[in-house]
């Protein structure tokens, strides 16, 4: 059966997550314009030119914001997708973010500030 658009873009987000460079979580994100075209993708990974978790290990810190431990060596998938769009001059305003995991509070604020109008989270549709 042919997938609906949400399932289609979530499938792409899952494929993008395979590039993640942190063994704690493989997250993929896809930003789609209001007209339906893919604007940007991102996965959780280290900044360009920096060692990743597989090379140098995870660098953990405890966040009092959500009372969880986080690897701070990586940039989250949602942020990487937003930052790539910014680097290439792509407009994300009014778009939809498809992501394979719930965004953290930090990313959620950036998603809202970027003007993304809708978030579709794998397993939540």
């Amino acid at each position: 059966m042919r997938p609906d658009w949400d399932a289609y873009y979530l499938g792409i987000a899952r494929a993008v997550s395979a590039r993640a460079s942190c063994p704690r979580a493989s997250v993929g994100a896809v930003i789609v314009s209001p007209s339906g075209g893919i604007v940007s993708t991102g996965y959780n990974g280290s900044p360009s030119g920096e060692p990743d978790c597989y090379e140098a290990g995870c660098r953990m810190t405890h966040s009092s914001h959500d009372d969880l431990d986080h690897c701070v060596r990586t940039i989250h998938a949602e942020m990487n997708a937003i930052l790539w769009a910014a680097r290439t001059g792509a407009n994300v305003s009014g778009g939809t973010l498809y992501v394979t995991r719930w965004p953290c509070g930090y990313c959620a604020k950036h998603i809202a500030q970027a003007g993304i109008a809708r978030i579709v989270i794998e397993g939540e549709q």
Side-chain angles (χ1 to χ4, degrees):
M1 184 166 145
R2 188 174 183 202
D4 65 19
W5 287 112
D6 286 351
Y8 173 74
Y9 289 121
L10 282 171
I12 294 170
R14 275 191 303 279
V16 170
S17 75
R19 291 283 309 151
S21 63
C22 182
R24 291 180 42 84
S26 294
V27 182
V30 176
I31 301 174
V32 176
S33 72
S35 64
I38 294 175
V39 174
S40 183
T41 66
Y43 54 86
N44 56 314
S46 298
S48 297
E50 296 294 319
D52 65 35
C53 296
Y54 290 109
E55 298 169 328
C58 293
R59 195 169 73 207
M60 302 303 294
T61 188
H62 187 77
S63 170
S64 59
H65 173 73
D66 56 13
D67 200 34
L68 295 172
D69 292 332
H70 292 273
C71 177
V72 294
R73 185 174 302 286
T74 62
I75 300 170
H76 291 184
E78 307 92 327
M79 287 300 301
N80 266 329
I82 291 168
L83 292 168
W84 184 255
R87 282 181 66 177
T88 61
N91 184 8
V92 300
S93 184
T96 300
L97 171 71
Y98 293 88
V99 65
T100 60
R101 186 175 184 167
W102 274 90
C104 70
Y106 184 75
C107 287
K109 289 186 273 186
H110 288 84
I111 293 163
Q113 190 65 16
I116 293 172
R118 180 174 176 245
I119 303 173
V120 178
I121 302 161
E122 186 169 47
E124 299 293 323
Q125 67 282 2

